[in-house]
Amino acid sequence: MSIRQFFTVLAVGLTIQANADNYLDMEPLKLEVPEMKAELVDLPKQRALLLDQETPDAGLRTDFSFFKQKTKPGIKPYRFIDDMTFVGVPLFLGGLAIKGDKAMFRVNQKAEQGGKRNTQLLTDFKTGIDDYTQFFGPAMVVGLKLGGYEGRSDWPRLLASAGMSYAIMAAFVNGIKYTAKEMRPDGSTANSWPSGHTATAFVGAELLHKEYGLTRSPWWSVAGYGVATATGVMRVLNNRHWISDVMSGAGIGILSTELGYALCDLLFKEKGLLRNNMELANVNPSFFSISMGVGFGGKDIEFESDGENRSIKFRAATVVDAEGAYFFNKYIGVGGRLRVRAMSAKDFNDFNDFAAIEDYEAWGGMQNAYEQAFPSDYPKVANPSDQVAENWLTYMKKIGYDLDSDSEYMKNAPVTDIYGTVKSDHITEFTGSVGLYLNLPLGSHFALGTKALIGRSFTQELDIDGHAEGNKKDISYSMTLDNRPGMKQPDGDPTLSVNNLQYPVNTGEKWSDDWEYLTVGAESSTSFGTGISLTYKYKSNFSWRLYCDYDYTKKTFKSTYDPFHFMQVGTTTGTNLLFETLGEYADDQGLEVREYRTKKNMNFFTLGLSFLVNL
């Protein structure tokens, strides 16, 4: 071993020995346990409720205990006035206020009753989805309850609250229906106002809201009210209800459920309660909402082409919105809105020639031309002052066109059946907008709001189809044009002569025609919007909002109008040429398709109610 290795080992050994001697003088380690005392500590009420709501279920089990009452300890009883918002009252009154604004579609063209002929156009839109969506709310509540997902009430209290709500709703709806006796848009029965389907749907939405939206997640409320709103809109599109019926029905549904739950709160008190309402500490007024309202303004559209003016009138629009905004503080935020506005036709005015077909005016545009072209062959009557009208009636009856009679002539009529089908009786505008949202708190429950939005608007057109059938006709004639000096008409056109004209005769062929009678639409455009609103925050995470919005857009409307398309199918080529020529020389557009375009500044005002989830 070298000298260096020896001194290294010696140094390590001395170090270890010194450390060992130091540990010999240390005191034993003692563990002191602090004294613990059991005492109650009051947590903030809001935090305690949050903890209670966030506790996961011990396991979802199917619940069939329909008659077994359960009450969870520590649940605060609901008072009669706790959840009463009375928001259904302005909805009902809003529907009552616009009840006088009616559309023109009343008589079913295929259901002739009492010998009355159809002279009006009917919508052919039909869906049966609304017959099922009205039960979405109760179906969801029962399904969640059976699955063991606890809501506000146990089975006995839930069934009593639901039964009471539906009973109150049925009493209101049926009592008003058979007292007011309002005719439905399709003319089927006089029990239109208010809408029972919509009232039923909103009772279900309010059930889902109270049982799970208030106690579990606000998105259950959004789902319920969203489907209920869609049900009401479908009732309007199905031509079964006016928008006034839907608004009043929604108001009755909400108010009936609030009353039903309030009465059961008096009867049951604290019994049968499983959960209290959630309490969330929302500082900023960020929100998501669904809305339903009534649109006014922009109700007349006038078209002009080659000196010919035609117009169409619309009734109050049905407006549905989905809207949301994120607020940086209590006052300023950004957001967006999706709006659907459906304007139903109230009066077609000059586009309603179709109805006149059954009054012998189907070929009315050619009437004077016929008389001028072949006065010697045209039937005469005794009274010269009634010459044109009577000649036309006599002529039409002579060829067998007389829908007022059951005579054999009808079998040979040129037109044996003719009617219009409205595929869409409304112009629907879809608008997506974004912009700035402002909020002014008026206290803990109320706030004023406004906004400035810009977006893009797209339109789905109004669409009416025609159907006609009959016997194909032919006309024997000769026609000459005289362009010699001194023989021209005052306007410089050649003189038209029709000779050897015979009344139309059957060719032995049947004809049938389906075509687009009228379409009215608009090009996409930029939209600007603003508005003012009053928000009532009745729960920490739920609010109701009354609003008045203003929207402006400049639209280019376009229309195609083809009232006499069937005549091109129902007659021979030679006869069509005669019609076209007579129409041209009578300063008429003949059998051609009319096309119109017009630009219009659209100023829309919307009054409505929103259901808000505060985020």
Side-chain angles (χ1 to χ4, degrees):
M1 177 182 296
S2 65
I3 298 296
R4 180 180 296 178
Q5 292 174 340
F6 172 79
F7 281 108
T8 300
V9 173
L10 179 61
V12 172
L14 291 174
T15 302
I16 294 174
Q17 180 63 39
N19 290 332
D21 292 339
N22 289 336
Y23 281 104
L24 291 175
D25 298 329
M26 292 182 63
E27 293 289 331
L29 181 63
K30 296 180 180 180
L31 178 63
E32 295 184 1
V33 180
E35 183 179 358
M36 301 181 66
K37 295 181 180 180
E39 59 181 4
L40 295 176
V41 178
D42 289 331
L43 291 174
K45 179 182 177 181
Q46 188 178 60
R47 178 60 180 166
L49 288 173
L50 281 172
L51 289 174
D52 176 66
Q53 302 305 323
E54 293 171 0
T55 302
D57 294 293
L60 299 180
R61 297 179 182 179
T62 304
D63 185 1
F64 291 107
S65 54
F66 304 113
F67 305 105
K68 182 179 179 181
Q69 192 167 55
K70 295 183 292 185
T71 303
K72 278 194 172 182
I75 302 297
K76 175 188 173 184
Y78 290 85
R79 295 179 303 171
F80 174 81
I81 206 67
D82 269 357
D83 290 338
M84 291 292 296
T85 66
F86 298 102
V87 73
V89 175
L91 265 177
F92 176 82
L93 295 178
L96 178 63
I98 64 171
K99 206 163 72 71
D101 190 19
K102 304 302 180 189
M104 63 173 289
F105 308 113
R106 286 185 175 273
V107 184
N108 189 333
Q109 54 86 17
K110 291 185 179 180
E112 297 180 1
Q113 299 177 358
K116 181 178 180 180
R117 304 194 323 267
N118 170 56
T119 57
Q120 297 202 337
L121 302 170
L122 277 179
T123 176
D124 195 42
F125 177 91
K126 181 63 180 175
T127 178
I129 299 176
D130 50 344
D131 291 330
Y132 303 98
T133 54
Q134 63 175 320
F135 302 115
F136 173 80
M140 289 301 300
V141 170
V142 171
L144 292 169
K145 190 73 174 169
L146 284 174
Y149 192 60
E150 285 184 349
R152 179 186 197 262
S153 314
D154 66 356
W155 277 111
R157 185 164 182 151
L158 169 62
L159 295 175
S161 299
M164 189 83 72
S165 301
Y166 280 108
I168 295 172
M169 180 271 295
F172 272 126
V173 169
N174 291 300
I176 298 174
K177 270 181 179 289
Y178 297 103
T179 302
K181 296 182 179 180
E182 182 75 17
M183 182 64 69
R184 292 181 183 271
D186 61 3
S188 58
T189 55
N191 61 346
S192 185
W193 182 71
S195 168
H197 276 66
T198 308
T200 301
F202 273 88
V203 168
E206 189 74 5
L207 286 175
L208 187 58
H209 168 63
K210 286 186 174 295
E211 289 294 327
Y212 291 100
L214 288 171
T215 65
R216 286 290 195 169
S217 170
W219 297 109
W220 291 116
S221 302
V222 172
Y225 281 111
V227 173
T229 301
T231 301
V233 172
M234 282 188 284
R235 296 305 287 168
V236 175
L237 296 181
N238 270 337
N239 206 36
R240 294 290 290 166
H241 282 289
W242 315 101
I243 185 175
S244 56
D245 306 340
V246 167
M247 289 190 66
S248 294
I252 289 175
I254 294 172
L255 183 60
S256 297
T257 311
E258 289 186 347
L259 287 174
Y261 267 78
L263 292 174
C264 285
D265 288 342
L266 285 177
L267 295 174
F268 284 85
K269 296 184 173 25
E270 75 281 355
K271 295 179 181 178
L273 289 176
L274 304 179
R275 302 179 75 86
N276 276 133
N277 292 345
M278 296 180 296
E279 295 288 341
L280 302 178
N282 294 321
V283 177
N284 297 339
S286 301
F287 70 91
F288 172 81
S289 71
I290 51 176
S291 311
M292 181 169 66
V294 182
F296 303 94
K299 297 172 67 175
D300 299 333
I301 301 176
E302 296 183 355
F303 296 95
E304 192 276 331
S305 177
D306 296 329
E308 183 180 9
N309 296 307
R310 293 188 180 271
S311 65
I312 185 169
K313 293 183 178 180
F314 295 87
R315 56 182 169 134
T318 305
V319 182
V320 179
D321 297 337
E323 190 171 14
Y326 173 79
F327 277 77
F328 306 107
N329 51 45
K330 293 182 180 180
Y331 308 102
I332 301 176
V334 293
R337 182 187 69 192
L338 295 176
R339 167 162 287 179
V340 180
R341 177 190 300 271
M343 300 189 302
S344 298
K346 181 179 182 180
D347 185 0
F348 286 117
N349 284 354
D350 302 312
F351 290 107
N352 204 25
D353 290 348
F354 205 98
I357 287 173
E358 296 177 355
D359 293 328
Y360 311 111
E361 296 176 8
W363 301 343
M366 309 294 182
Q367 181 169 291
N368 293 330
Y370 268 109
E371 185 189 19
Q372 295 170 8
F374 41 89
S376 60
D377 290 333
Y378 207 74
K380 302 296 181 181
V381 295
N383 187 357
S385 63
D386 296 331
Q387 187 72 47
V388 174
E390 289 297 328
N391 284 355
W392 187 247
L393 292 177
T394 304
Y395 176 77
M396 294 297 290
K397 289 182 179 181
K398 185 176 180 65
I399 63 175
Y401 189 61
D402 187 3
L403 291 180
D404 278 334
S405 72
D406 296 326
S407 64
E408 293 296 318
Y409 288 124
M410 277 301 298
K411 294 181 180 179
N412 295 318
V415 182
T416 58
D417 192 16
I418 188 166
Y419 57 85
T421 300
V422 182
K423 297 296 184 181
S424 171
D425 69 338
H426 52 275
I427 292 179
T428 304
E429 182 184 52
F430 302 88
T431 306
S433 304
V434 295
L436 182 69
Y437 285 75
L438 301 176
N439 182 71
L440 177 63
L442 300 179
S444 58
H445 291 284
F446 290 93
L448 286 175
T450 186
K451 56 197 171 189
L453 304 178
I454 184 172
R456 197 69 179 167
S457 170
F458 303 89
T459 302
Q460 183 182 48
E461 64 186 14
L462 177 149
D463 181 17
I464 304 174
D465 289 353
H467 173 83
E469 55 189 64
N471 299 284
K472 181 166 285 192
K473 297 289 183 176
D474 192 12
I475 299 177
S476 175
Y477 64 91
S478 61
M479 183 168 55
T480 60
L481 294 175
D482 195 340
N483 197 29
R484 292 175 298 172
M487 300 300 294
K488 294 183 180 181
Q489 299 184 51
D491 59 1
D493 288 337
T495 301
L496 172 68
S497 299
V498 178
N499 308 306
N500 303 318
L501 181 75
Q502 296 181 2
Y503 293 116
V505 295
N506 281 344
T507 64
E509 300 178 43
K510 298 288 184 180
W511 64 271
S512 178
D513 190 22
D514 292 282
W515 77 101
E516 288 191 348
Y517 173 77
L518 174 67
T519 62
V520 180
E523 298 177 356
S524 61
S525 60
T526 301
S527 175
F528 303 91
T530 184
I532 187 170
S533 63
L534 175 65
T535 302
Y536 168 56
K537 187 175 183 179
Y538 81 104
K539 294 292 181 184
S540 66
N541 55 330
F542 292 103
S543 301
W544 289 100
R545 173 177 292 170
L546 287 170
Y547 67 90
C548 176
D549 283 354
Y550 168 74
D551 296 287
Y552 167 81
T553 183
K554 186 173 184 179
K555 281 194 171 294
T556 299
F557 288 92
K558 51 187 178 181
S559 171
T560 58
Y561 177 47
D562 191 6
F564 302 122
H565 187 278
F566 68 95
M567 294 182 66
Q568 302 178 52
V569 179
T571 55
T572 60
T573 303
T575 306
N576 283 333
L577 178 61
L578 176 63
F579 289 154
E580 291 285 359
T581 305
L582 291 174
E584 180 181 350
Y585 284 93
D587 295 324
D588 188 84
Q589 291 181 333
L591 305 181
E592 297 177 358
V593 179
R594 283 82 162 157
E595 294 185 354
Y596 307 92
R597 295 176 69 89
T598 186
K599 290 185 178 181
K600 183 176 178 64
N601 295 321
M602 306 297 289
N603 297 282
F604 294 119
F605 293 90
T606 304
L607 298 176
L609 182 72
S610 300
F611 174 76
L612 282 74
V613 174
N614 303 318
L615 304 175

